[in-house]
Amino acid sequence: MFGWHGRLLQVDLSAGRARTESLPEEWLHHYLGGRGLAVRLFRDFFQIEPYSPEMPLLFATGPLGATAAPTAERMAVVSRSPLTRTLYDCSVGGRFAQQLKCAGFDVVQIDGRAAVPMVLAITPSGAELLPADSLWGSTVSTTIAALNGRGSVVAIGPAGEHLVPFATIVTDDGNAADRGGLGAVMGSKRLKAVVVSGAKLPEIADPARFERAHNDILRLFRAAPVLFGELGLGAYGTPTLVDLLAQRRMTPTENFCKTFFAAAANYSGPALRAACTPHKVGCCGCPVQCQKVTADGAYLPGYEALSHFGALNNIGDLTAIITAIRTCHELGLDPVSAAATLATWGEVRGAFPTAAELVPLLHDLVWRRGAGEQLCAGSRQLALAAGKPQVSMSVKGLELPAYDPRGAYGMALAYCTNNHGGCHLGAYPLAHEILRKPAPTDRFSFAGKARMIKIAEDINAAIDSLVACKFAFLGAGIEEYAELLAAVTGVDFTPERLKEIGERIYLTERWYNDVNGFSVIDDCLPERFFREAGSSGDGIEVPPLDRARFDEELQKYYRMRGLDAHGRFVDRNFLVSLPC
Ligand code: SF4
């Protein structure tokens, strides 16, 4: 078999043993890897409680991993989220995915709960559990440094140990499974870190065809200003979006009460470059290199974290913002949910946190003391407890990222139809509504958005299963990646087949939600967006969303998906209809 090893490493932390299982070839052809393969593997587990020992935590690579396919050194980290209670997948770049593939495994499935804290060490010959008492309580960087030399590492911080439902799993090269609280699932298993080393590169079915497809993709990357242009992701990283979204009056400000923050310029791409003189780095083998580090090796934050500790909390102090985000990294906290929860708390108490309050509040949140007792469960629970559920700016419990939906109607719809909550990455409408790729659309219109969101969700589910980076598709397309996949695997994958696979993955996740009680009630935006206008100005009007048009487009979307008016499956035998 080319592209996959067909091997799953199953680790039972309760019993302290590991074994290798074969993955059916049929599953790999119908679900690919990463998110898709995890969705198939979760068929017996999706109703189990997130912190139950029986709930698996998966690290799943894809068929393009370790092949030099551009942006494809990634994996999906997947489990049931304690924050949203849906299945949750994070696409994570970096060396860990490559090393796991080179160790000879497509997937690692971690079950059970260790009696005492452990580190899992994976090599081509299997797995070993190492005591981690001395690391329990340590920050992320201390843990990673202690395991240096054993291979590539992922680790949790104190937030994961304390079961904060938006805790992260951080890699040794600055990436993270950052949203949805999968670090808390790992903490509930008393697993402090996983380290993996491998050396065997997978074989490619047709190297000459691979080379041609690879070169085509690189040519398309180079021709895309959003990737390699003067103000592109390669030049400034995602902070290049700070100015772009400010100009479009889409910056969520003061817990989404406003959509423009004058001090955003303090943490824009050019401001960061002037203050920190960063150089470029990126995920293993990626030519775009959209990440930035300072001369002393410290990673600079991305757009969403900067904007939420900045505008969302009404803070313009660059040093305070970066310090807060680094604190989140060390504690193993999702900076987007952490900042959004602080903003919700700020609205409830009638004063947003000051720059000086940020770091102490983050520590209090993790150790559940003082205001931290309210903050530690996330914005939805905090707002409910305060009797003001409307001030949690979340969908399905997931705090919204830094794109105000009153300025992009496809985004408004996509936040709601995303299977795991208010995330922009499921359909990534930012591409056509703001970045004008592959073609520009009218951001202040719902017309046609149901179909665009449905198609994009299906394609992105396939991309997350390759596992490739969404940014690659601001240059190349699904056609080039289908060609690359066919070259690697020797299987006749076409763009149409990838879309079919993506649809199967999306609908299976939606089915899991349906069985777990989710419906149209959960596919809704916070009331504020329908009642309050954003910050108009500079010739741009930002009115509230039209609820009737939103509902109409959501119903269109349901019909395209074959769902009923409540967003539920008409065919109660959906799973039986799947090929495997
Ligand atoms: S574009 Fe950026 S996030 Fe995507 S793979 Fe490359 S370096 Fe990683």
Side-chain angles (χ1 to χ4, degrees):
M1 193 173 2
F2 295 98
W4 302 275
H5 299 293
R7 295 170 84 222
L8 175 147
L9 177 69
Q10 194 255 350
V11 180
D12 182 342
L13 292 170
S14 301
R17 61 169 179 250
R19 64 195 165 112
T20 303
E21 287 181 12
S22 296
L23 287 162
E25 201 164 335
E26 201 189 2
W27 289 15
L28 301 172
H29 289 191
H30 285 92
Y31 295 90
L32 300 176
R35 172 179 165 187
L37 186 55
V39 163
R40 179 61 187 83
L41 286 161
F42 262 89
R43 197 168 289 181
D44 296 329
F45 304 106
F46 65 88
Q47 287 187 280
I48 295 173
E49 287 299 308
Y51 295 149
S52 162
E54 283 75 44
M55 171 51 67
L57 174 66
L58 298 185
F59 295 85
T61 66
L64 297 183
T67 65
T71 80
E73 301 291 15
R74 303 182 74 84
M75 64 181 168
V77 182
V78 187
S79 192
R80 191 171 178 202
S81 163
L83 189 67
T84 66
R85 301 184 59 75
T86 64
L87 196 66
Y88 206 105
D89 69 284
C90 292
S91 174
V92 184
R95 283 190 310 138
F96 188 91
Q98 186 206 48
Q99 291 293 300
L100 184 55
K101 193 78 184 278
C102 290
F105 300 105
D106 297 300
V107 188
V108 178
Q109 175 176 330
I110 300 166
D111 301 322
R113 176 180 295 148
V116 292
M118 289 288 177
V119 167
L120 171 63
I122 301 170
T123 63
S125 51
E128 186 188 358
L129 287 166
L130 312 169
D133 285 318
S134 61
L135 291 175
W136 202 250
S138 301
T139 61
V140 164
S141 62
T142 302
T143 305
I144 287 171
L147 296 167
N148 190 20
R150 280 184 161 271
S152 183
V153 184
V154 293
I156 60 168
E161 298 170 14
H162 289 256
L163 306 186
V164 176
F166 44 95
T168 56
I169 301 172
V170 184
T171 74
D172 52 5
D173 45 10
N175 293 293
D178 51 2
R179 307 226 61 200
L182 303 184
V185 175
M186 189 157 149
S188 75
K189 297 185 174 304
R190 297 200 184 94
L191 185 61
K192 182 67 179 173
V194 184
V195 56
V196 60
S197 64
K200 193 174 182 309
L201 290 172
E203 286 182 44
I204 291 171
D206 186 340
R209 189 178 179 186
F210 178 85
E211 191 64 22
R212 281 195 301 275
H214 179 267
N215 290 343
D216 280 347
I217 289 172
L218 292 189
R219 201 165 45 243
L220 289 165
F221 279 8
R222 283 193 293 269
V226 67
L227 296 180
F228 280 107
E230 203 184 331
L231 297 174
L233 291 167
Y236 287 104
T238 55
T240 199
L241 296 172
V242 171
D243 288 337
L244 194 64
L245 291 162
Q247 285 156 6
R248 280 150 187 76
R249 304 225 154 215
M250 272 182 70
T251 306
T253 303
E254 296 181 20
N255 203 30
F256 290 86
C257 290
K258 301 175 185 168
T259 60
F260 182 75
F261 184 55
N266 295 354
Y267 50 80
S268 66
L272 281 176
R273 182 181 281 181
C276 307
T277 53
H279 64 267
K280 289 181 179 189
V281 289
C283 306
C284 221
C286 173
V288 180
Q289 304 261 296
C290 78
Q291 296 161 351
K292 307 285 164 264
V293 293
T294 58
D296 59 0
Y299 279 83
L300 287 174
Y303 166 67
E304 279 91 7
L306 287 165
S307 187
H308 269 12
F309 271 107
L312 202 71
N313 281 287
N314 196 27
I315 291 172
D317 178 336
L318 176 63
T319 305
I321 292 167
I322 290 183
T323 306
I325 297 167
R326 288 202 175 134
T327 303
C328 287
H329 177 86
E330 286 300 332
L331 296 174
L333 272 179
D334 169 14
V336 173
S337 280
T341 302
L342 285 174
T344 301
W345 175 77
E347 188 171 351
V348 168
R349 83 165 173 169
F352 290 102
T354 62
E357 282 181 306
L358 291 178
V359 170
L361 280 169
L362 292 169
H363 282 270
D364 288 349
L365 185 161
V366 170
W367 277 274
R368 296 168 195 257
R369 58 193 182 211
E373 284 185 42
Q374 295 166 269
L375 294 163
C376 66
S379 74
R380 178 164 64 174
Q381 295 305 324
L382 185 152
L384 273 173
K388 295 183 172 181
Q390 71 280 8
V391 302
S392 168
M393 305 309 286
S394 60
V395 174
K396 300 184 181 79
L398 185 71
E399 289 78 14
L400 298 177
Y403 311 95
D404 196 287
R406 285 164 293 198
Y409 293 4
M411 188 74 82
L413 195 62
Y415 280 153
C416 298
T417 59
N418 191 310
N419 283 325
H420 61 222
C423 171
H424 61 299
L425 293 169
Y428 205 56
L430 191 73
H432 53 88
E433 292 191 319
I434 304 298
L435 302 174
R436 311 174 80 76
K437 296 292 277 184
T441 59
D442 179 356
R443 64 190 178 102
F444 288 112
S445 169
F446 279 113
K449 295 290 168 68
R451 183 170 300 282
M452 287 178 214
I453 295 304
K454 189 256 176 213
I455 292 170
E457 284 172 341
D458 293 345
I459 291 175
N460 284 336
I463 293 169
D464 288 337
S465 308
L466 289 174
V467 181
C469 175
K470 301 267 177 17
F471 292 158
F473 295 82
L474 298 170
I478 195 80
E479 293 75 13
E480 289 77 29
Y481 272 84
E483 180 64 14
L484 205 55
L485 182 62
V488 168
T489 60
V491 179
D492 182 26
F493 283 106
T494 60
E496 289 66 35
R497 190 164 164 190
L498 287 185
K499 284 180 205 158
E500 239 173 67
I501 291 172
E503 182 174 40
R504 180 178 308 128
I505 293 164
Y506 176 90
L507 283 173
T508 307
E509 292 167 343
R510 180 106 198 166
W511 171 260
Y512 294 168
N513 280 356
D514 184 319
V515 174
N516 280 324
F518 286 80
S519 71
V520 65
I521 296 165
D522 304 286
D523 292 346
C524 70
L525 279 176
E527 194 60 28
R528 168 162 291 154
F529 299 126
F530 299 105
R531 289 182 184 275
E532 299 171 22
S535 311
S536 297
D538 291 335
I540 301 171
E541 279 295 308
V542 189
L545 293 171
D546 178 337
R547 182 181 284 284
R549 271 301 283 125
F550 174 86
D551 288 344
E552 189 187 337
E553 207 62 20
L554 184 62
Q555 288 300 322
K556 267 191 215 165
Y557 173 89
Y558 287 164
R559 285 194 294 278
M560 283 172 204
R561 286 275 182 213
L563 305 170
D564 68 16
H566 303 284
R568 303 200 59 198
F569 281 71
V570 178
D571 175 10
R572 301 312 293 173
N573 292 315
F574 166 73
L575 283 187
V576 180
S577 70
L578 297 178
C580 60

